[in-house]
Amino acid sequence: MRRDATAMAGIDPITFEVLRTALDAVADEMAYTIVRSARSTMIKDCMDYSASLCTAQGDLIAQAVNIPVMMCSTPDALQPTIAKLGPTLAPGDCIILSDPYEGGSHLPDIFMFVPIFWQERLVAFASTCAHHADVGGMVPGSGSSDATEIFQEGLRIPSVKLYERGRPNGALYELILRNVRFPTMLRGDLEAQRAACLIGEREVHRLIERYGVDTVTNGMTALLDYAERIVREEIRAMPDGIYEFTDYVDEDGMDPDPIPIRLRLEIRGDRVIADFSASAKQVRGSINCSLSVTKASTYTAVKCFCRQPFPPNSGFFRPIEVIAPEGSLLNVAFPGATFMRGLTIYRINNVLFGALAQALPERAIAADEGGTSIVVMEGRDAERERFLYMETISGAWGARAGADGIDCASNVTGLQSNTPVEVLETEYPIEMVQYGFVPDSGGPGRYRGGMSLLREYRFLAESGTLQIRADRVRFAPYGLYGGRPGGRSANWLDPDGANARLDSKVKNRPIARGEVVRHILAGGGGYGWTFERDVAAVVEDVRDGKVSVDGARRDYGVALDPTTFAVDERETARLRAAMRAAVDPANPPLFTR
């Protein structure tokens, strides 16, 4: 297949492979540039950003090792930009976009595109996207669960030139910076994005100097076709059928009712059709998704169930159709709010994993933590300077068909990082009281789900406000094929004093000096019957503090001496026999909550 793709493009296989790896390396170098030069915690520590290269037509051609859902939505942002500005594009231009109704994601995610020319010929685009800490709006950090219109969430930036022929658009910069709470931070982050795009431009020029412009552009076409061929082959190997699955977002922060995401997944020949038509209508709160990110989450999930390696470019999107009616939760209609749509993106991924688990149980993955939580604290420090601390917290993988879930790792949709404690305590008037795992929180099963994370903060400024976006309080991450659900999320204020339980969506709540905020992130679901887990693996988990002695007995049927952790083999055999007798071992349920 690689020979077919290269022959059609007139490129020998060795040059094809060199171009493939070189373009990936360029995207990675762009990503390193952003993380080394950005100003905000969200980008440099949480790594909520991405970098990629695209063709002159707006197709994604190379991704850095960043957030898949950001990069897979890039074509839906870039192609309308080309349609709008294409005839005016020139060397030195730099375009930005954030409006979800013009191809963007949500307002803090600012896309940036730099057209790459060679001798007056447009050959590619360097692209970055980054979550900016504040873009105006009704609350610090720009996102609140009680926003009901996009106008409350900050600046809507249409496709517009921030730089034109190398000259900054001073009026646009002034307009943006006057409408955000931390203008120096935002400008620094924008310039970090532009520096990365210029690195991409430089390195593509070097490739063209070495191999020629036609070889490079034809190689991009070949890469798209190659990825499409591989994915179609992968889909053909999947069993044809219709697979349905439903999961829920707890609520939207405005109305108490759970919000269903219903999927009818059809695998037919070499095509996948993901139909979300039966999902919830658009909601009042800010968890609505643009169609671009719904598509991106779908592409990411399908790729996770493929086994052959292939370039993650727009070619692999071609066999996958996504259906979501306008005005629904997954295809928001103007002027619906979208800031907190991350929860919905993660649940889309969970629903797809649940449907694909029916088709390919040997590749299945139980539900992860359900998506990163967001914690925002703002106030004034000892010098009366205003500060904003925002972080995304991840994660726990669900158990897989042949392995435990991963502890403290971002789920596959996000690929973000937790803020280091040293950074938090050095840069902000906040103390990390606790940071660790919650025992017995990984979903029990033949393979255990990843464990819940606990982060506990003491607020040290005089006063400020707190916001939290969390989920999986009502609906725990599901287990598969007899595996049990993971532990649920929870929020607490002053847990060793008043011990007040907070809602999953905390909206601009006042917070005072000395108060402690505890957030528990959900754990991943388990896979397979719990009584089939290897006894030695249970003992190891107990020794590591991941499972308690009581949990080993209750969840796995393993009786241990609480002091020595020695196994009582007779009692263990009795417990496991009783657990086996209570179910039909040959017919485990598809999923459990």
Side-chain angles (χ1 to χ4, degrees), residues 549-568:
V549 171
D550 289 343
R553 183 184 185 94
R554 177 187 65 244
D555 297 330
Y556 296 99
V558 176
L560 298 176
D561 181 283
T563 304
T564 65
F565 304 140
V567 178
D568 183 332

Side-chain angles (χ1 to χ4, degrees), residues 96-111:
I96 57 172
L97 163 71
S98 72
D99 190 350
Y101 298 102
E102 198 173 337
S105 171
H106 65 166
L107 296 184
D109 281 356
I110 298 180
F111 283 94

Side-chain angles (χ1 to χ4, degrees), residues 214-285:
D214 289 336
T215 297
V216 172
T217 55
N218 289 343
M220 291 179 181
T221 300
L223 280 166
L224 294 170
D225 293 341
Y226 175 62
E228 179 184 0
R229 286 190 182 93
I230 292 289
V231 173
R232 288 192 185 277
E233 180 180 296
E234 285 281 322
I235 295 171
R236 275 193 295 269
M238 298 178 183
D240 283 359
I242 295 173
Y243 308 95
E244 297 183 344
F245 200 83
T246 301
D247 204 350
Y248 298 84
V249 178
D250 287 348
E251 34 80 26
D252 69 348
M254 297 293 292
D255 299 310
D257 296 334
I259 301 165
I261 299 177
R262 297 188 176 95
L263 170 64
R264 181 184 186 272
L265 185 75
E266 182 175 358
I267 300 174
R268 184 198 308 159
D270 63 356
R271 296 182 63 226
V272 169
I273 303 167
D275 187 348
F276 294 98
S277 298
S279 296
K281 300 295 184 185
Q282 185 169 322
V283 297
R284 285 204 301 153

Side-chain angles (χ1 to χ4, degrees), residues 51-218:
S52 58
L53 292 173
C54 297
T55 68
Q57 294 73 39
D59 288 318
L60 181 68
I61 197 66
Q63 300 185 23
V65 185
N66 288 132
I67 299 174
V69 76
M70 264 189 184
M71 292 178 287
C72 290
S73 62
T74 296
D76 280 350
L78 177 54
Q79 288 168 2
T81 299
I82 295 171
K84 179 180 179 180
L85 300 176
T88 73
L89 295 177
D93 285 355
C94 174
I95 304 143
I96 57 172
L97 163 71
S98 72
D99 190 350
Y101 298 102
E102 198 173 337
S105 171
H106 65 166
L107 296 184
D109 281 356
I110 298 180
F111 283 94
M112 181 177 287
F113 307 116
V114 167
I116 301 173
F117 287 83
W118 183 259
Q119 297 176 353
E120 300 184 356
R121 173 183 170 184
L122 179 63
V123 294
F125 285 87
S127 168
T128 60
C129 183
H131 183 132
H132 291 258
D134 183 273
V135 290
M138 63 190 284
V139 296
S142 306
S144 177
S145 298
D146 56 354
T148 58
E149 293 183 316
I150 196 166
F151 306 111
Q152 299 168 322
E153 297 185 304
L155 278 171
R156 289 172 61 206
I157 304 173
S159 296
V160 62
K161 293 182 181 182
L162 187 67
Y163 281 75
E164 189 162 9
R165 295 183 181 271
R167 293 176 175 268
N169 184 336
L172 176 60
Y173 244 134
E174 185 174 1
L175 175 67
I176 293 172
L177 299 181
R178 285 198 180 190
N179 283 278
V180 302
R181 295 173 177 84
F182 302 91
T184 302
M185 180 187 297
L186 185 136
R187 183 160 198 159
D189 287 344
L190 280 177
E191 290 302 323
Q193 287 186 249
R194 181 169 178 265
C197 287
L198 296 179
I199 291 290
E201 178 185 47
R202 183 193 72 189
E203 295 304 313
V204 170
H205 283 166
R206 287 180 175 177
L207 279 175
I208 292 172
E209 288 169 355
R210 182 168 184 178
Y211 295 101
V213 64
D214 289 336
T215 297
V216 172
T217 55
N218 289 343

